[in-house]
Amino acid sequence: MPSAAMTVAAGLATGPGSRVTRFAKSTAASVTPVRPGKTHALSPLDNAMERHTVHVVLYLRAAPGLDREQLKESLSEVLSLYPAMTGRLTRGEGSDGAGTGSADAAHAHRGWVVKCNDAGVRMVDARAGVTLDEWLATATGDEEMDLLYYEPLGPDPYIWSPFYVQLTEFADKSYALGLSCTHIHNDPTAAALFFHAWAAAHRRTTSPYPPFLHAPALAVSPTSPPPPPPLLAEKASAVSPASTDATAMSSATFHFPASAVRALLSTLEPGTTPFAALAALFWLRITGAADGEGELTLALDFRKRMYAPLPLGYYGSSVHFARARADLASGLPAVAAALDRHVAGVPEDDLWRALEWLHARQQQEGDAAAPFQMYGPELTCAALDHVLMYGAEFEAGVPPARVSCRVGGAAGEGLVLVLPAAEGGEARDVVVTLPAEATARICRDPEVLRHGAEVVFGAKAVKEE
């Protein structure tokens, strides 16, 4: 058996001065083989997410039943429930690649299909030279990315792993579990709930949110080309900046204790939700509360908003993008109320129209079917505070110390994620990914701080011109 030193792969190094050392790379396989020829079709919405990635980090405090080998063992066990995770991407019927060659062929189409071939997920072993508490007190938002590992899709998708898991051991034997994957496979809700299943396997029990891998759940077959939804049409026509011209992005995390959120809500219209309150606050502070009507794109999970709801454990993307408008000069209470009204009023038909248009676009040739940026380039805010991120108890009764989530590829004006917080109730975490100067500015914004925000993972200082 090769030593850890022999398994080190090129490209594992972190940046200069990083407190995280990656020392080994391997493959985690399922303990249960998949039947030959099995495939997993991807919906038009899954395929539309090609330019984005999902990254989730769970911080677990040291416990007697928590060590590297036990975590690897339970990971292999849970992967038997997720045959699509251990598979590889190939092109569907009508594309340049081969067809599905299985019973799922009835749902095949141009775009990506997962061939469930038990190839496994990539795993990276790492250590951090500080304790968990020292890390949480001092790490920046950009440094937190050292707890995650991801390799972009190369020229040969059949050997590329869409999923990467990094196990980072802190000096006090606590762990960070970092999951990175292509958004083609999973949205943030599905990625977070994977940890529920992993934790259940670790405790030798079952998750209350088992994966629902039903490929046709969001399948559509429009009889005629549908009219383009205005928001998606604008996104598809937006010119992507060249990599040399792209603005450097940076992330930061804000924690709002329950008392701070309650105090904020007390200044707003009765019934305002924590999501609308925080989304409005960051919208106003990021844009500078410009005069006149402003537009904000909302990313909404539609699993439970459908007439026939999808199970929470639905494996895939169920994110619908909708445009909200508000008079930014009207003040925080009015803007928050406008966001709540819009969230409540998005009809299910809008989701299906978007799916039909994405499906029709996917059938076209060449650049007409090229992926485009779904999160952005305009400012986008995602409602993720419904996700049960803290239910992944690897030790019974002990929730994660903290959970972090990012969406990659959110260039342009940036992305705001509203997440649940460790203490539950009205408490929330807000993760921003913005142009670096904007992130540094929002970390010291007096209005954000006045409303009780605690900067958990801050931004690196940006030199002023």
Side-chain angles (χ1 to χ4, degrees):
M1 180 177 293
S3 66
M6 294 174 62
T7 61
V8 174
L12 289 183
T14 51
S18 174
R19 293 176 289 180
V20 176
T21 302
R22 301 185 182 118
F23 61 87
K25 184 180 180 183
S26 58
T27 299
S30 166
V31 298
T32 305
V34 178
R35 64 171 173 83
K38 180 178 177 59
T39 63
H40 176 74
L42 296 164
S43 76
L45 186 53
D46 293 330
N47 276 274
M49 297 295 187
E50 186 171 337
R51 294 182 58 173
H52 298 287
T53 52
V54 177
H55 309 273
V56 180
V57 180
L58 258 71
Y59 293 95
L60 305 177
R61 295 199 178 277
L66 202 66
D67 64 41
R68 194 179 298 273
E69 292 308 313
Q70 289 174 313
L71 287 168
K72 290 182 177 181
E73 179 181 345
S74 57
L75 175 60
S76 291
E77 291 175 0
V78 76
L79 287 176
S80 64
L81 303 176
Y82 289 85
M85 281 186 66
T86 58
R88 294 294 181 263
L89 291 173
T90 186
R91 287 295 184 179
E93 295 283 353
S95 298
D96 294 334
T100 61
S102 77
D104 290 332
H107 304 289
H109 44 65
R110 293 181 184 272
W112 295 110
V113 174
V114 182
K115 185 173 184 178
C116 304
N117 59 0
D118 284 323
V121 304
R122 296 285 187 263
M123 171 167 285
V124 171
D125 289 289
R127 294 190 183 94
V130 293
T131 66
L132 174 58
D133 285 334
E134 289 171 338
W135 178 270
L136 294 177
T138 60
T140 66
D142 296 334
E143 190 178 15
E144 189 182 35
M145 295 303 291
D146 288 343
L147 303 178
L148 297 151
Y149 183 83
Y150 187 75
E151 295 177 5
L153 174 63
D156 192 351
Y158 195 68
I159 64 172
W160 173 72
S161 175
F163 285 83
Y164 296 81
V165 175
Q166 179 171 319
L167 302 182
T168 305
E169 181 181 353
F170 291 96
D172 59 350
K173 305 300 181 183
S174 297
Y175 276 89
L177 312 184
L179 174 70
S180 296
C181 66
T182 171
H183 208 316
I184 296 172
H185 269 264
N186 269 342
D187 61 11
T189 300
L193 289 178
F194 166 74
F195 283 101
H196 277 254
W198 185 0
H202 196 79
R203 302 193 319 269
R204 300 291 191 269
T205 184
T206 57
S207 170
Y209 311 105
F212 181 72
L213 287 90
H214 186 54
L218 292 180
V220 291
S221 297
T223 55
S224 60
L231 178 57
L232 292 186
E234 287 181 21
K235 290 176 180 292
S237 62
V239 177
S240 299
S243 58
T244 54
D245 298 330
T247 302
M249 306 295 283
S250 183
S251 292
T253 299
F254 302 82
H255 174 62
F256 288 83
S259 58
V261 177
R262 286 195 292 267
L264 173 60
L265 294 175
S266 70
T267 67
L268 307 179
E269 293 186 9
T272 301
T273 63
F275 167 74
L278 293 170
L281 174 63
F282 278 83
W283 184 14
L284 290 169
R285 302 314 301 167
I286 290 170
T287 61
D291 291 338
E293 187 177 67
E295 295 180 343
L296 176 70
T297 294
L298 299 176
L300 306 174
D301 188 312
F302 244 78
R303 284 169 174 80
K304 297 302 180 183
R305 295 171 63 95
M306 300 166 67
Y307 176 75
L310 288 171
L312 192 60
Y314 169 70
Y315 181 95
S317 293
S318 181
V319 181
H320 177 63
F321 296 87
R323 174 179 285 150
R325 295 182 175 87
D327 179 2
L328 299 185
S330 62
L332 180 60
V335 173
L339 288 181
D340 261 336
R341 287 194 299 271
H342 188 84
V343 170
V346 177
E348 183 181 345
D349 285 349
D350 283 3
L351 171 67
W352 292 107
R353 278 193 289 267
L355 285 167
E356 290 178 354
W357 181 77
L358 290 170
H359 173 86
R361 187 178 185 276
Q362 189 176 293
Q363 311 310 308
Q364 300 179 41
E365 300 283 351
D367 292 343
F372 56 90
Q373 189 176 345
M374 295 288 281
Y375 292 86
E378 74 282 1
L379 184 65
T380 304
C381 186
L384 295 173
D385 48 347
H386 67 286
V387 182
L388 307 172
M389 293 185 171
Y390 289 89
E393 298 180 353
F394 282 75
E395 294 293 315
V398 183
R402 180 170 291 280
V403 180
S404 179
C405 180
R406 313 278 180 88
V407 173
E413 295 182 33
L415 175 64
V416 178
L417 306 180
V418 180
L419 308 166
E423 59 264 48
E426 295 95 343
R428 296 291 187 273
D429 286 341
V430 176
V431 179
V432 301
T433 301
L434 306 167
E437 291 187 1
T439 303
R441 174 175 54 81
I442 207 72
C443 280
R444 56 178 185 269
D445 183 274
E447 280 299 298
V448 172
L449 299 177
R450 183 177 71 83
H451 285 293
E454 302 168 4
V455 182
V456 181
F457 293 109
K460 293 180 181 179
V462 176
K463 292 183 179 179
E464 305 232 349
E465 297 291 338

